[in-house]
Amino acid sequence: MSSKGRIIINTGDGKGKTTAALGLAFRALGHGHRVCVIQFLKGKGDYGERLFGNTLENLEWHICGKGFVFKKQDITADREIAGQGFQLAKEKIESNHFDLVILDEITYLTLYQFLEVEAIVEVLKKKPERLSVVLTGRSADEALIEIADTVTSMDVVKHAFTQGIKAQKGIEY
Ligand code: ATP
Ligand code: MG
């Protein structure tokens, strides 16, 4: 068994990127590993995973966002929060305290040009050897895919939402 940490990306337009990352957190926690989740660009909603996450030992959970970024009038505030979130991610990675760090929805930082992808690549290249990092979000940058060990693309075959079914508690949040 190799103790060298991995860089894992869950990308694509289909459902399952965040929940797969959290499945991995579940697995790591079961072995007594220390896990840090940092969520970018999402509001402080009643997400079931956060409510549960807050009850778990060995799991640290940070939210760096204030709702969806598409509201253009808020773009400056979003940029500032995104920058602070990335700084936090960098600190948590460099701390050498964790076995697994999950950067949920981080791909949007470069997609919306809040951050140069090189900044993320640099932090990942210098990560502690044993640390695994999961990055999630649609349209993962080529530069991230290049340095990753494992990349999975979730494809939409069907999604309830496009059939007019609303987001459901316990399934979508
Ligand atoms: P999940 O959190 O369920 O694993 P995800 O991380 O793959 O989904 P995101 O784009 O981060 O997907 O999803 C934001 C929200 O939209 C989540 O509540 C998710 O369940 C839902 N969702 C995911 N994929 C789709 C889709 N193709 N169409 C509509 N809604 C989606
Ligand atoms: Mg997600």
Side-chain angles (χ1 to χ4, degrees):
M1 195 193 86
S2 165
S3 58
K4 194 169 177 288
R6 315 278 174 82
I7 296 173
I8 297 167
I9 299 179
N10 298 341
T11 191
D13 292 337
K15 177 175 167 63
K17 300 174 288 294
T18 296
T19 44
L22 296 174
L24 210 56
F26 205 80
R27 177 174 283 173
L29 289 166
H31 290 292
H33 293 179
R34 288 188 285 218
V35 179
C36 179
V37 176
I38 301 178
Q39 294 195 298
F40 293 92
L41 307 172
K42 268 197 179 172
K44 298 197 194 291
D46 258 356
Y47 289 84
E49 60 267 38
R50 284 179 198 165
L51 299 172
F52 183 58
N54 286 333
T55 69
L56 296 177
E57 234 179 279
N58 291 335
L59 176 66
E60 225 181 87
W61 196 298
H62 301 273
I63 301 159
C64 309
K66 55 184 284 295
F68 292 103
V69 79
F70 312 111
K71 296 172 194 147
K72 290 287 179 214
Q73 68 271 23
D74 277 349
I75 204 122
T76 317
D78 284 331
R79 184 181 300 274
E80 205 177 302
I81 289 163
Q84 287 166 5
F86 180 66
Q87 202 48 44
L88 181 73
K90 200 166 169 253
E91 280 165 29
K92 296 299 174 188
I93 288 171
E94 288 169 356
S95 72
N96 202 15
H97 176 75
F98 297 99
D99 301 282
L100 178 67
V101 170
I102 295 173
L103 306 176
D104 189 39
E105 321 297 351
I106 194 172
T107 61
Y108 300 105
L109 295 196
T110 57
L111 273 180
Y112 293 109
Q113 295 171 344
F114 292 157
L115 192 74
E116 297 291 327
V117 70
E118 288 76 22
I120 303 176
V121 169
E122 195 185 325
V123 171
L124 292 176
K125 278 190 172 160
K126 288 196 286 201
K127 74 170 184 60
E129 173 120 341
R130 74 186 170 107
L131 173 70
S132 289
V133 181
V134 183
L135 302 95
T136 88
R138 295 179 188 204
S139 310
D141 212 293
E142 264 313 311
L144 294 176
I145 290 173
E146 212 167 288
I147 61 158
D149 300 290
T150 301
V151 181
T152 304
S153 179
M154 273 70 174
D155 296 327
V156 195
V157 175
K158 238 180 171 185
H159 194 288
F161 188 73
T162 55
Q163 295 155 62
I165 302 164
K166 279 193 190 153
Q168 193 183 338
K169 191 185 236 178
I171 302 294
E172 265 85 34
Y173 64 94

